Amino acid sequence: MSEVFEGYERQYCELSANLSKKCTAAGALNGEQKKQKLSEVKAGLEDAEAMIRKMDLEARSLQPNVKAVLLAKLREYKSDLNNLKSEVKRIASGNLNPSARDELLESGMADALTASANQRSRLMTTTEQLNQSSDRVKDSRRTMLETEELGVSILQDLHSQRQSLLHANNTLHGVDDTIGKSKRILTNMSKRMSRNKWIIGIIISLLIVAIIVVLYFKLSK
C-alpha cells in the first residue's frame, strides 16, 4: 500500500466530512450567509477534486495488483464527490423560493444527505480497515527484515565456525604429519638400539670366549 495515497485518502475523508457539515449548515441559511457558505463549499469541492486527481495519479503509478485495489476505492471517492456536488446544486436551487427550498430540504436533499453520510461512513470504515491492514503488512515486513537480519547473522556465524573448523582440520593434519615423523624417528632409534644391543652382546660374548681361552691356556701350563 502506498503511504502517499493513504495520506491523500485521509485528507480527502476529512475534507469530505467537513464539506458535508457545511452543506447541512448552508441548507438552513438564507441570503448572503447562504451564498458565503456555498462559496466555501464550492472552494472545498475544488480542493476535493484536486485531491482526487492526486490519488488517481499516485494509484496509476503503482504495481498492477495494488493499482486495481486503489482505483476501486477511488471510484467510491469520485461517487462521494459527485453526491456532494449534487447536494450543493440542490441547496443552491433553494434560492428560487422558500416553498421549493423547504420541499427540497424535507424530501430529496434529506435523502441525499443521509445517503451521502452513510457512504462517507462506509468509506471511513473501509479506510480504517485498510490502514489497519497496512499496519499489519508493515509489521510483517518489519518481522521479515528482522528474520532476514537474524538469518544473515546466523550465516555469518556458520561461516566463521566453518573457517575455524577448516583451520582446526589443517592444524590436525599438521599434527598428524608431525606425529608420523616422530614415529619414524622413534622406529629408527629403536632399530639402532636393537642393532647396538646385538653388537654389544656379540662383543661381550667374544670377550668371554677370549677370557675362557686365556684361562684355559694358563691353567694348562
Side-chain angles (χ1 to χ4, degrees):
M1 191 67 66
S2 171
E3 294 182 359
V4 177
F5 186 91
E6 290 177 357
Y8 292 151
E9 189 177 32
R10 284 191 292 269
Q11 294 179 33
Y12 176 81
C13 289
E14 293 174 357
L15 184 59
S16 176
N18 188 32
L19 289 174
S20 179
K21 292 178 182 179
K22 288 183 178 180
C23 286
T24 302
L29 297 175
N30 292 315
E32 292 299 325
Q33 291 181 344
K34 185 174 184 178
K35 290 181 180 180
Q36 182 178 359
K37 183 64 69 174
L38 287 175
S39 297
E40 294 177 3
V41 173
K42 289 178 181 179
L45 289 175
E46 293 177 357
D47 294 338
E49 286 180 340
M51 199 64 62
I52 289 287
R53 287 194 295 270
K54 290 180 180 179
M55 284 192 287
D56 185 67
L57 290 174
E58 177 63 20
R60 294 182 186 280
S61 66
L62 300 175
Q63 297 177 351
N65 56 339
V66 179
K67 180 173 69 175
V69 176
L70 296 183
L71 288 179
K73 292 176 61 178
L74 194 59
R75 285 193 292 270
E76 295 182 2
Y77 293 137
K78 289 180 179 179
S79 176
D80 176 70
L81 182 61
N82 290 331
N83 288 337
L84 285 173
K85 291 180 179 179
S86 298
E87 291 176 19
V88 172
K89 289 180 181 180
R90 291 189 184 98
I91 294 171
S93 65
N95 290 326
L96 297 175
N97 54 68
S99 61
R101 182 193 63 196
D102 294 339
E103 183 179 355
L104 287 172
L105 288 173
E106 291 177 358
S107 57
M109 192 181 71
D111 294 337
L113 286 172
T114 301
S116 180
N118 291 335
Q119 186 177 21
R120 274 190 292 276
S121 177
R122 289 195 301 271
L123 290 175
M124 291 293 289
T125 301
T126 303
T127 300
E128 184 177 357
Q129 291 175 350
L130 288 172
N131 289 336
Q132 291 176 355
S133 299
S134 178
D135 291 338
R136 287 194 294 270
V137 170
K138 290 178 181 178
D139 291 338
S140 299
R141 186 179 302 171
R142 189 182 304 109
T143 302
M144 181 183 67
L145 291 175
E146 291 175 354
T147 304
E148 183 179 357
E149 291 177 356
L150 179 60
V152 171
S153 177
I154 291 173
L155 288 176
Q156 290 175 348
D157 291 340
L158 289 174
H159 178 72
S160 177
Q161 292 175 8
R162 180 176 179 272
Q163 294 298 325
S164 298
L165 289 173
L166 289 174
H167 179 70
N169 187 40
N170 293 332
T171 303
L172 288 173
H173 280 300
V175 171
D176 186 55
D177 293 339
T178 303
I179 291 173
K181 291 178 181 178
S182 300
K183 183 179 179 180
R184 287 193 295 272
I185 292 171
L186 291 173
T187 301
N188 292 332
M189 291 176 63
S190 178
K191 290 179 180 179
R192 288 177 185 176
M193 290 175 64
S194 296
R195 187 167 55 249
N196 291 338
K197 286 180 180 180
W198 282 104
I199 293 172
I200 293 171
I202 292 170
I203 293 172
I204 293 172
S205 299
L206 291 174
L207 288 173
I208 293 172
V209 171
I211 292 170
I212 292 171
V213 171
V214 171
L215 292 174
Y216 175 77
F217 282 109
K218 284 185 178 182
L219 292 173
S220 299
K221 293 178 179 181

